[in-house]
Amino acid sequence: MPPLSILVKPASGSCNLRCRYCFYHSVADSRRVKNYGLMPQETLEALAEKALAFAEDSCAFAFQGGEPTLAGLPFYEKLVEYQGRYNHKNVKIHNAIQTNGIVVDEAWAAFLARNDFLAGLSLDGIEKLHDRNRQDSFAQVMRTAELFNRAGVRYNILAVVTGESHKYAAQSYHMFKTDCTRFLQFIPCLDPLGETRGGHPWSLTPAAYLKFLKTMFNLWYCDCKGGKPVSVRWFDNILGMLLGNPPEACGMSGVCGCQFVTEADGSVYPCDFYVTDRWRIGNILEDSFEEMRNSEVCRRFVDESRSVHPACRACRWYPLCRCGCKRERENGRSYFCECYKEFFKFSIGRFEELAGLLGQNQKFPP
């Protein structure tokens, strides 16, 4: 059996913020049951037991929402207990949690540090950019970043890139690396499921995304050259692919996998962006991981992602772009296609230079 990675929604779509662009709100609204409440302990125990029986070498549990801290700290203490009880094969366990930081206190920070949880802290940038879409929560999030720094919590910044982000990109980058952490992940903002793109103030257009990526790349490149590298996940993956490595970010692989997204009632889905009735592949209380992975629904979900537009196959940049995430695609092409083309033209020489500094004189095909 393979290493296993699971996304868990212990509080379903419940959240103590109502971010204007929340993609999961529209996903949940499309289901017959919009919110499954809090995950019962017996469901958590079944998940831990079955996951650790299925996995080989390693097993990753990533907790998302909604807001996963609403399940309460005792929920995660029970998780660690169950992991110790059922890890009969001594696989390597990786725990992660994505949080808006609102309820995190010293007890939470101490627990995350003590149990080596990787935290993803949602922070969109400088105060006026962040607060525009996230209910004036900037001060609370920065307080949590300080708690994480003091307690020694490993954490990333998860920043949603909206149509306005490029205006504050340089200020936000410097704030992230100075006041928070040097591990950054930028997530293109998604319009609600099923809607035409570009219909909201926060919608991200290809032109705006290109400006953002260019600014961030210039800053990232200068820090790399200056010997003080900042980890920007998308740039790290591009550099890794240029060096011949597979991308670790699922949205960059070109083909979907199965993320085993587990809702609070135990229902399982292949992808966080498609937690809908159509794509339900089973329930952890009733089905094995093997059965869910081999289900007709899961196979169909993966197969749909294999379709690539002929123009993309012939494109110079396809080995790096790979049409982006399935959720970005329209008729087999990425919504950000022109953005990516221009960005790679702008950056490829410096990516190649950095690859050379890493000891591999790798050149991208002309």
Side-chain angles (χ1 to χ4, degrees):
M1 299 300 175
L4 181 62
S5 181
I6 310 164
L7 295 178
V8 189
K9 294 185 174 292
S12 191
S14 300
C15 192
N16 46 8
L17 288 182
R18 180 61 178 92
C19 301
R20 296 172 71 197
Y21 51 58
C22 177
F23 83 88
Y24 201 66
H25 184 76
S26 67
V27 170
D29 275 351
S30 73
R31 299 191 306 239
R32 288 188 298 272
V33 179
K34 301 183 188 310
N35 193 317
Y36 291 101
L38 298 179
M39 179 177 284
Q41 282 193 8
E42 55 267 27
T43 305
L44 176 65
E45 183 173 7
L47 177 63
E49 182 177 11
K50 288 188 176 182
L52 293 169
F54 178 77
E56 294 289 346
D57 299 323
S58 68
C59 187
F61 297 81
F63 293 86
Q64 298 183 343
E67 172 51 39
T69 59
L70 296 183
L73 190 52
F75 177 90
Y76 296 93
E77 292 171 338
K78 292 299 292 187
L79 167 74
V80 173
E81 177 186 326
Y82 293 144
Q83 289 173 338
R85 181 184 305 173
Y86 293 115
N87 191 11
H88 304 303
K89 296 188 290 186
N90 292 316
V91 302
K92 177 65 175 176
I93 295 173
H94 304 278
N95 287 316
I97 187 168
Q98 180 176 336
T99 179
N100 59 29
I102 300 302
V103 303
V104 173
D105 57 15
E106 291 184 356
W108 267 103
F111 171 84
L112 296 175
R114 183 170 64 250
N115 292 282
D116 196 31
F117 273 65
L118 174 64
L121 183 62
S122 294
L123 178 62
D124 285 353
I126 62 170
E127 185 170 4
K128 63 181 174 180
L129 176 64
H130 176 93
D131 282 350
R132 192 158 296 168
N133 296 305
R134 300 186 67 89
Q135 289 190 258
D136 297 330
S137 59
F138 179 84
Q140 292 168 288
V141 179
M142 292 301 293
R143 174 190 56 79
T144 296
E146 293 175 7
L147 282 174
F148 283 172
N149 289 333
R150 290 203 303 267
V153 177
R154 292 188 304 121
Y155 74 104
N156 301 330
I157 291 296
L158 302 178
V160 174
V161 184
T162 66
E164 295 185 304
S165 296
H166 69 91
K167 300 176 185 177
Y168 311 101
Q171 294 168 274
S172 296
Y173 180 90
H174 290 302
M175 181 200 73
F176 290 147
K177 73 174 189 176
T178 302
D179 298 330
C180 302
T181 177
R182 300 176 76 88
F183 296 90
L184 312 177
Q185 181 178 347
F186 299 117
I187 306 166
C189 186
L190 292 171
D191 284 314
L193 193 65
E195 286 193 12
T196 301
R197 296 179 189 272
H200 299 279
W202 58 84
S203 296
L204 179 63
T205 65
Y209 195 26
L210 177 61
K211 291 178 182 178
F212 177 85
L213 289 176
K214 283 184 173 181
T215 300
M216 284 294 175
F217 179 80
N218 284 338
L219 296 167
W220 175 80
Y221 169 78
C222 288
D223 279 337
C224 289
K225 287 281 289 181
K228 296 182 179 180
V230 173
S231 174
V232 175
R233 189 184 188 194
W234 198 67
F235 297 158
D236 293 347
N237 272 261
I238 295 297
L239 182 58
M241 286 192 282
L242 188 60
L243 294 169
N245 302 315
E248 54 79 28
C250 70
M252 302 180 74
S253 65
V255 178
C256 294
C258 185
Q259 298 177 325
F260 296 109
V261 181
T262 307
E263 255 285 5
D265 72 326
S267 294
V268 180
Y269 309 81
C271 174
D272 194 29
F273 295 150
Y274 295 93
V275 185
T276 63
D277 296 332
R278 179 190 177 193
W279 295 114
R280 184 180 181 277
I281 62 175
N283 189 292
I284 195 64
L285 297 171
E286 303 163 358
D287 305 296
S288 69
F289 282 98
E290 186 74 23
E291 289 169 331
M292 291 186 288
R293 185 182 62 177
N294 293 328
S295 68
E296 175 58 30
V297 175
C298 190
R299 287 199 298 269
R300 187 169 72 250
F301 182 83
V302 173
D303 287 344
E304 284 189 8
S305 73
R306 299 184 191 278
S307 177
V308 178
H309 195 282
C312 296
R313 294 288 187 190
C315 178
R316 177 191 180 193
W317 307 112
Y318 177 73
L320 296 180
C321 166
R322 303 186 187 187
C323 294
C325 171
K326 176 180 175 178
R327 183 72 187 270
E328 293 178 3
R329 298 181 193 175
E330 296 179 342
N331 301 318
R333 302 180 70 175
S334 172
Y335 173 68
F336 297 113
C337 177
E338 295 305 315
C339 163
Y340 292 146
K341 285 180 180 178
E342 291 302 314
F343 173 75
F344 289 131
K345 290 177 188 176
F346 167 81
S347 62
I348 192 63
R350 284 178 284 174
F351 271 122
E352 290 174 336
E353 178 188 356
L354 293 175
L357 291 175
L358 292 172
Q360 306 226 6
N361 294 316
Q362 184 75 29
K363 294 293 182 182
F364 192 73

